[in-house]
Amino acid sequence: QVQLVESGGGLVHPGGSLRLSCAASGSFFSINTMGWYRQTPGKQRELVAGITRGGITDYKDSVKGRFTASRDNAKNTITLQMDSLKPEDTGVYSCNAQILQRDGWRDYWGQGTQVTVSS
């Protein structure tokens, strides 16, 4: 059983910072790409930041220069540092990981954590 457990999130004023973390646990061989997705009411879930096992990152245009994704392959974790937060960054952030198990690669998701940017 693989689990992605998220931490961080909460309420912050515009211009503030938050740090999200996600740790994968369970039985698996390897993790490929990890990422953070955001869900807001009435919209499809969208990729905010992704990072490959080799550390190559990809960001949604609106967060470039403000968000930084990093990972620790030894600890099976991904972190998203969010700075200069804006109200439009509000949403439920979910961690995603492509995980290799005995029967092949599968996508796993965390439970989601609420980020609210408001004055």
Side-chain angles (χ1 to χ4, degrees):
Q1 184 81 8
V2 173
Q3 282 190 316
L4 298 183
V5 179
E6 299 150 345
S7 60
L11 173 64
V12 65
H13 292 309
S17 297
L18 283 174
R19 187 178 181 88
L20 305 181
S21 295
C22 173
S25 63
S27 179
F28 53 87
F29 298 122
S30 181
I31 302 177
N32 193 9
T33 299
M34 302 183 80
W36 287 97
Y37 286 73
R38 179 171 66 208
Q39 178 81 59
T40 54
K43 293 185 178 180
Q44 285 190 328
R45 184 163 53 188
E46 58 183 358
L47 176 67
V48 175
I51 182 168
T52 67
R53 185 172 182 80
I56 297 173
T57 53
D58 182 34
Y59 297 98
K60 179 179 172 61
D61 284 346
S62 64
V63 308
K64 287 179 180 177
R66 300 188 296 120
F67 290 12
T68 303
S70 60
R71 64 187 284 175
D72 184 329
N73 292 329
K75 297 181 179 179
N76 298 315
T77 60
I78 179 175
T79 299
L80 184 66
Q81 178 66 40
M82 304 185 293
D83 298 318
S84 302
L85 282 160
K86 303 176 181 180
E88 52 263 42
D89 295 320
T90 295
V92 176
Y93 286 69
S94 298
C95 172
N96 169 268
Q98 298 173 353
I99 294 179
L100 178 62
Q101 295 181 282
R102 188 179 303 275
D103 56 352
W105 290 97
R106 290 183 61 186
D107 265 343
Y108 283 90
W109 293 87
Q111 78 280 5
T113 185
Q114 178 69 43
V115 170
T116 302
V117 184
S118 176
S119 55

